[in-house]
Amino acid sequence: MKKKNKPTGFVFTKHDPKEQSPFERLFEIFQELITHTSGDFDEAIDWLRQLDKEYSLTTSEYTIDDFIEDLKKKGYIREEFRPDGKGGGKGEGKNAITEKLERSLRKRALEQIFGKLKKSAGGNHKTKYRGQGDEQAGEFRNYQFGDPLERISMTESFKNAQINYGIDGFNLSENDLVVEESMHKSQMSTVLMIDISHSMILYGEDRITPAKKVAMALSELITTRYPKDTLDILVFGNDAWPIKIKDLPYLNVGPFHTNTVAGLQLAMDMLRRKRNTNKQIFMITDGKPSCMQLPNGEYYKNSAGLDPNIVKKCYMMARQARKLHIPITTFMIAQDPYLMQFVDQFTAANQGKAFYTGLKGLGEMIFTDYETNRRKRIK
């Protein structure tokens, strides 16, 4: 009987798109809209209704009102009663997003920017240094008192015993034992600084929404894949203040100048309290530093060019971070030559890194840099 040859190479089949329910289809669009509106449910629904009119997203069997009811049933939104107690259950209250939707937005941002990464139970960062860890290094050394028994390589140890005593007179002694080295794994403490000055929405470009998505994705990555790491997030405008992960969907810009100095001061204060050896600062900004606080508490502001007093203070903060072994990676969403010159000098003062990027690819850059830094020990 003649044997049939199996086909080799690629086999192409017709693409069958995944079936989506009306709710799932609208939910994908709604999550994007709620991110752009900084958590404003009513505004997001208004946008969704306009898109529905233009693209016929719903049918007579499933309307936007049905979608809102499903959001409530599934726990993605809740109705907040008015202070006077009226409006309960009669459509007069205000709908707000819940923690369940906040988690969904972070997960979606992670999948959009970093790809669908699986949760890792270990959650530690590989380094090139050998030490305590659970990943085999492929190198061996003689057993030393105190080494855990599970690290002993029985294959290599039996081989030594056979060489030393032969097969007939087999004997396994302490001198025959060999331990396989494991890779040391480090923990990382990261502070993410986000510029919320007014320029983040100027010039016809929404820069704050991509920054929010990056922050949500990074927080989801760390809390799921590297749970032993820490991530703190702060925003800086005229001043700087920390925000919680759950606050990210609501993040918005204000009529602020750019107080980079205050942001760096707060970031270093946060990292001083961390016990991890590896510490780093990621800074997302699109403009020049234009504000700082004077010793008397007043704010010194100058938006015309690069003010020497403010710039000098920024360089001083960069050098201070360098002394604390805290590298700063700047993601500059601007291409102006005079701003690039400032960032170059700022980076040189810290011996950190700088990326000059538009909004496209910002998340991938931060992810790549985070993954790179976690493979080395910052001294």
Side-chain angles (χ1 to χ4, degrees):
M1 187 175 177
K2 218 172 185 181
K3 196 174 182 180
K4 291 184 179 180
N5 293 327
K6 292 184 178 180
T8 59
F10 296 100
V11 178
F12 295 93
T13 60
K14 184 179 178 181
H15 172 65
D16 293 322
K18 181 182 176 183
E19 289 291 332
Q20 280 189 314
S21 67
F23 174 82
E24 291 172 335
R25 188 170 60 253
L26 290 175
F27 191 55
E28 280 293 313
I29 302 170
F30 172 75
Q31 288 182 97
E32 186 70 26
L33 295 176
I34 202 72
T35 303
H36 278 274
T37 61
S38 299
D40 190 323
F41 175 82
D42 292 334
E43 186 180 357
I45 288 296
D46 286 343
W47 284 13
L48 188 61
R49 291 187 190 276
Q50 292 178 26
L51 290 173
D52 184 29
K53 289 179 181 178
E54 187 171 352
Y55 299 103
S56 301
L57 302 176
T58 63
T59 63
S60 57
E61 289 80 19
Y62 194 85
T63 65
I64 297 294
D65 292 332
D66 294 327
F67 173 67
I68 295 173
E69 284 302 313
D70 280 348
L71 286 174
K72 291 179 181 178
K73 291 176 183 177
K74 295 177 184 293
Y76 289 116
I77 62 172
R78 64 176 181 274
E79 187 175 358
E80 295 181 342
F81 300 143
R82 294 185 340 203
D84 58 9
K86 298 179 180 179
K90 296 182 180 180
E92 299 175 10
K94 182 179 179 181
N95 290 313
I97 69 177
T98 63
E99 291 183 6
K100 183 178 180 180
L101 182 52
E102 292 167 1
R103 289 194 301 270
S104 179
L105 293 175
R106 292 196 296 268
K107 183 178 179 181
R108 182 173 182 271
L110 176 64
E111 292 174 351
Q112 279 186 327
I113 296 175
F114 298 152
K116 296 183 178 180
L117 300 175
K118 295 182 179 179
K119 183 175 180 180
S120 168
N124 293 322
H125 296 294
K126 304 173 189 175
T127 70
K128 62 182 180 181
Y129 299 92
R130 289 191 292 273
Q132 294 183 353
D134 56 12
E135 184 168 341
Q136 304 304 319
E139 298 180 13
F140 302 94
R141 62 171 173 80
N142 293 331
Y143 173 83
Q144 297 176 356
F145 179 76
D147 285 332
L149 295 179
E150 61 268 19
R151 291 297 180 204
I152 296 176
S153 173
M154 299 308 298
T155 302
E156 294 295 322
S157 299
F158 285 151
K159 185 196 297 183
N160 287 342
Q162 289 178 354
I163 293 173
N164 293 333
Y165 303 106
I167 297 177
D168 297 332
F170 179 78
N171 183 34
L172 183 66
S173 67
E174 182 178 342
N175 293 332
D176 301 319
L177 297 179
V178 172
V179 172
E180 185 171 4
E181 292 276 26
S182 59
M183 296 298 290
H184 175 80
K185 290 190 174 182
S186 64
Q187 297 173 337
M188 177 70 76
S189 289
T190 303
V191 172
L192 177 63
M193 297 172 51
I194 302 175
D195 184 351
I196 59 167
S197 62
H198 190 54
S199 59
M200 290 289 278
I201 56 170
L202 289 179
Y203 316 116
E205 192 171 45
D206 176 13
R207 296 166 175 172
I208 191 65
T209 299
K212 281 192 294 187
K213 285 187 177 181
V214 166
M216 287 192 290
L218 190 60
S219 62
E220 186 69 9
L221 171 76
I222 291 175
T223 54
T224 57
R225 188 170 183 179
Y226 305 114
K228 294 183 180 179
D229 285 7
T230 66
L231 173 67
D232 292 282
I233 303 172
L234 67 87
V235 294
F236 61 104
N238 288 349
D239 210 330
W241 58 94
I243 62 171
K244 296 180 180 179
I245 291 175
K246 67 180 185 66
D247 298 328
L248 285 171
Y250 313 99
L251 187 61
N252 212 335
V253 299
F256 303 129
H257 288 70
T258 308
N259 193 341
T260 308
V261 173
L264 293 170
Q265 287 175 333
L266 180 57
M268 284 189 279
D269 287 342
M270 290 175 165
L271 291 174
R272 282 192 188 99
R273 295 191 287 267
K274 306 297 182 184
R275 296 183 178 179
N276 294 346
T277 303
N278 288 359
K279 302 176 182 180
Q280 63 181 350
I281 295 173
F282 286 165
M283 179 168 63
I284 303 175
T285 182
D286 75 323
K288 59 185 178 297
S290 59
C291 175
M292 69 176 183
Q293 193 170 20
L294 300 175
N296 62 5
E298 295 181 359
Y299 289 93
Y300 175 74
K301 303 173 185 178
N302 185 1
S303 299
L306 287 169
D307 187 286
N309 296 316
I310 299 175
V311 168
K312 183 178 179 181
K313 186 71 172 179
C314 288
Y315 293 157
M316 187 184 76
M317 296 302 300
R319 287 190 290 268
Q320 185 177 339
R322 176 185 169 187
K323 290 180 181 178
L324 295 173
H325 308 292
I326 301 175
I328 302 170
T329 303
T330 304
F331 296 89
M332 196 71 173
I333 313 174
Q335 302 288 338
D336 299 331
Y338 77 104
L339 290 180
M340 294 173 67
Q341 184 179 2
F342 157 72
V343 174
D344 283 343
Q345 295 179 11
F346 176 85
T347 303
N350 175 256
Q351 289 192 349
K353 286 180 286 185
F355 296 93
Y356 303 98
T357 174
L359 299 177
K360 187 177 180 181
L362 175 63
E364 289 85 346
M365 284 186 177
I366 291 183
F367 168 69
T368 302
D369 201 57
Y370 184 83
E371 290 284 298
T372 301
N373 289 348
R374 70 183 179 82
R375 292 190 180 97
K376 64 185 178 183
R377 175 174 291 179
I378 300 170
K379 294 183 178 180

